[in-house]
């Protein structure tokens, strides 16, 4: 029979503790339960009388659990209980064995007495109970004296664990201006102690830091707002400390804390406001479209979507000239140019700009209005602008037979600036490489400088430039499209060489050839040609021409009986006339060969060679004769060419060359009475000068004409007659590759005041305050070495004269 007992301390006796033992007498077993251990009393002593009153054939004590407190801190092993068999007579013949969970490691048993001790610290939170097995053996034979029995050792809890916030610290967000009692977050603390035993695991929540802004529910741990109208713009971040205490919050309970970081999220409760009610900006009048003028900013204390802005121009005289856009990154209003600006037209603008929140919250509308306005003054600054053409495009139609120097259009440009500087005109030569046109430097008169030919160039697209006199970098341009109109200046002609063949047995009226013509002109009503025999062949007895009235003509025979031996080739001149004004005509020749034909009309031979060559003259002899003739012709041409290139003396006829007097520009003038140095009569009668005999030119000089009329001052006026004459002579000189460069002499009449070259005179040069340096002459090579020595800076000591 097994009996159990518990002894923890020799000082503890029956009156020092309360022991409850429960047992039941069954067939062969009795179960003993102990909730609070019996200290210092053995079971056999406690129940000796009861054991004697129940006499049975076989009796055993059976147990199923022990109880022991956790966290024992003494130095001696903790006594758990005692195992005893009624077969143990105290002579040490019974050996007790303990097995199961923790046997030998956590728990030990005295094999003689059956006392069980805990040799390690017990922690209920790590292990709440242990299941072990006990057996009594005969020490000598090892035979079991009792059946093996299983029992449990339960660890009794003490309050040794404080509550812990396993998810802390916490981060929470709550909208600003939230009503009191708005739930923010729920915190939860966990106590590892036994919740079924006492109040060790009963947790109560309280707030240690965070009043008066927040509160916490003592049972649920829900944190709520406790103060109304909490403003994020005043304070955005809050650190709240929550405490969880066990034992129901009573004195002596253990506590744990956690931190809750609460952020007030933004709501749109602040209207935007411009820090400046007046902005002053400036922009250059040359600013391109969409260029930035300036920025305005309406300050909004909110953030994110609640601080988004939309800027608009609601009023002002510049609403059509300027535009405003919102920068989505910085929420500023960017004012840009919408239309071209002109300082001369308008010097300043005023804008009324509004900034508003596009996203509103209805519950905060009473805090508005959620928009604000400001005034922007924009000043337009003057810049030196290039000349402007009016109109901005020119289209000119001119007949191709216009005379050189004719004004075909007046190009007009003006300086848009207040200063209204003088304008100088020129042609962009890259647009007129053929130099067909010329523009007057001061008046802008566009004239022809070369003959126009519609058949060569029917359109001309040139660019006229206008430059400010005071600022040559300011150049304006305009496109001029010139359409060359057609005039009847080309006679019709055969498109190719016409050659026809006629049989010797041809009949009268037989068709020989159909001819057509082409004309390079392009009349409005289309081409119409008239065909007839040339006057010298009007009475041709052999052939005639019939006009088909469709710009073609037929050539017919007038007789029959052509013989190749009599005449093998006929040349028929045909007159072709057009329908233009004036009527132009040309003569084309139709070559007709007489051929011998078969009876059915097939050509057999068109060469009279068989009838004309002597029988004794071979083909090789003919080739040798022709080769000799060719060599003689080459020698004759070579001799003539050498004679033509022989140098000839200079010939200049003073009477025929109207430029003779201008060449003498180095002559000393005698005042108004000197009529020999310069004769202006030739310039006043240019047509008579052109009609005069062409002067004999010098053949040793190439043309190097370069007009410098672009440097003519504005005050210098030239009549249209003289201008046309000069342009005509310029074209004539350009076409004559042997003409001397007379035109370059025109620059001498513009020397002095008003000329870009300045004065060439040495008079009064000694009174100049500036010292001119001629050191650059040393870089011009050996040809200027002497001048460099005379005028350049002397490197050695000054010579003594």
């Amino acid at each position: 029979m097994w009996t159990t007992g518990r002894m923890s301390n020799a000082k503890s006796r029956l009156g020092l503790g309360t022991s409850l033992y429960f047992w039941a007498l069954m067939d062969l077993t009795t179960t003993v339960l102990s909730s609070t251990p019996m200290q210092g009393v053995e079971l056999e002593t406690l129940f000796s009388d009861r054991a004697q009153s129940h006499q049975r054939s076989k009796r055993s004590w059976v147990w199923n659990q022990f109880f022991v407190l956790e966290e024992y801190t003494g130095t001696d092993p903790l006594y758990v209980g005692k195992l005893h068999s009624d077969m143990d007579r105290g002579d040490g013949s019974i050996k007790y064995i303990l097995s199961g969970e923790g046997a030998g490691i956590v728990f030990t048993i005295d094999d003689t007495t059956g006392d069980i001790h805990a040799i390690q610290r017990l922690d209920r939170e790590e292990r709440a109970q242990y299941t072990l097995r006990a057996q009594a053996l005969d020490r000598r034979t090892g035979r079991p004296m009792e059946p093996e029995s299983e029992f449990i050792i339960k660890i009794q809890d003490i309050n040794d664990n404080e509550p812990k916030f396993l998810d802390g610290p916490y981060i929470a967000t709550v909208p600003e201006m939230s009503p009191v009692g708005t739930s923010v977050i729920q915190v939860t603390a966990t106590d590892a102690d036994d919740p079924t035993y006492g109040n060790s695991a009963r947790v109560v929540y309280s707030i240690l830091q965070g009043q008066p802004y927040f509160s916490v529910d003592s049972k649920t741990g829900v944190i709520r707002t406790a103060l109304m109208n909490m403003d994020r713009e005043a304070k955005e971040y809050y650190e709240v400390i929550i405490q969880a205490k066990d034992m129901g919050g009573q004195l002596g309970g253990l506590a744990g804390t956690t931190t809750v970081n609460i952020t007030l999220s933004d709501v749109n409760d602040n209207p935007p406001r411009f820090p400046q009610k007046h902005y002053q900006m400036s922009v250059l009048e040359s600013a391109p479209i969409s260029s930035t003028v300036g920025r305005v900013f309406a300050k909004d204390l909110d953030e994110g979507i609640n601080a988004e802005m939309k800027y608009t121009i609601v009023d002002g005289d510049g609403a059509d000239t300027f535009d405003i856009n919102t920068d989505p990154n910085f929420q500023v209003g960017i004012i840009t140019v919408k239309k071209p600006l002109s300082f001369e037209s308008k010097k300043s603008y005023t804008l009324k700009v509004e900034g508003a929140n596009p996203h509103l919250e209805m519950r905060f509308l009473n805090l508005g209005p959620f928009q604000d306005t400001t005034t922007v003054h924009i000043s337009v600054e003057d810049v030196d602008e290039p000349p402007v053409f009016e109109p901005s495009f020119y289209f000119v139609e001119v007949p191709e037979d216009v005379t050189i120097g004719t004004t075909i259009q007046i190009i007009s440009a003006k300086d848009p600036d207040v200063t209204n500087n003088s304008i100088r005109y020129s042609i962009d030569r890259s647009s007129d490489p053929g130099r067909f046109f010329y523009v007057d430097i001061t008046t802008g008169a566009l004239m022809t400088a070369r003959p126009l030919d519609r058949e060569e160039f029917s359109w001309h697209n040139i660019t006229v430039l206008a430059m400010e006199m005071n600022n040559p970098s300011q150049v304006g341009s305009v496109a001029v499209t010139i359409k060359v109109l057609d005039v009847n200046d080309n006679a019709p002609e055969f498109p190719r060489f016409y050659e026809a063949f006629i049989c010797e047995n041809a009949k009268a009226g037989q068709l020989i050839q159909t001819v057509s013509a082409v004309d390079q002109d392009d009349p409005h009503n289309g081409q119409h040609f008239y065909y007839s025999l040339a006057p010298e062949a009007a009475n041709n007895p052999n052939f005639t021409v019939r006009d088909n009235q469709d710009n073609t003509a037929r050539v017919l025979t007038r007789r029959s009986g052509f013989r190749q031996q009599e005449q093998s080739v006929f040349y028929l001149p045909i007159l072709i006339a057009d329908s233009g004004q004036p009527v132009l005509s040309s003569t084309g020749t139709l070559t007709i060969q007489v051929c011998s034909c078969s009876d059915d009309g097939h050509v057999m031979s068109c060469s009279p060679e068989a009838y004309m060559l002597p029988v004794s003259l071979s083909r090789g002899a003919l080739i040798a004769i022709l080769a000799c003739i060719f060599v003689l012709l080459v020698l004759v041409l070579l001799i003539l060419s050498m004679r033509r290139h022989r140098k000839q003396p200079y010939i200049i006829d003073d009477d025929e060359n109207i430029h003779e007097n201008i060449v003498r520009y180095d002559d000393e003038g005698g005042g108004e009475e000197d009529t020999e140095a310069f004769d202006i009569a030739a310039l006043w009668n240019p047509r008579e000068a052109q009609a005069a005999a062409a002067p004999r030119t010098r053949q040793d000089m190439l043309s190097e004409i370069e007009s410098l009329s672009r440097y003519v001052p504005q005050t210098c006026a030239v009549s249209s007659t003289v201008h046309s004459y000069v342009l005509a002579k310029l074209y004539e000189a350009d076409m004559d590759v042997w003409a001397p460069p007379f035109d370059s002499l025109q620059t001498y009449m513009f020397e002095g005041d008003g000329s870009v070259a300045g004065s060439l005179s040495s008079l009064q040069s000694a009174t100049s305050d500036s010292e001119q340096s001629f050191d650059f002459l040393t870089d011009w090579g050996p040809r200027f070495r002497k001048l460099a020595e005379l005028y350049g800076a002397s490197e050695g000591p000054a010579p003594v004269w």
Side-chain angles (χ1 to χ4, degrees), residues 23-32 56 58-60 62:
W23 69 92
L25 297 179
M26 294 175 288
D27 292 338
L28 298 174
T29 62
T30 299
T31 302
V32 179
R56 289 189 134 198
K58 185 174 182 181
R59 183 180 58 185
S60 297
V62 180

Side-chain angles (χ1 to χ4, degrees), residues 38 236 247 330 353 356 425 436 452 505 508 520 577 617 621 636 768 782:
M38 183 72 175
E236 183 176 3
M247 298 298 292
F330 301 99
V353 177
Y425 299 92
F436 289 95
L452 303 180
N505 55 359
Q520 294 183 6
L617 190 60
V636 171
S768 175

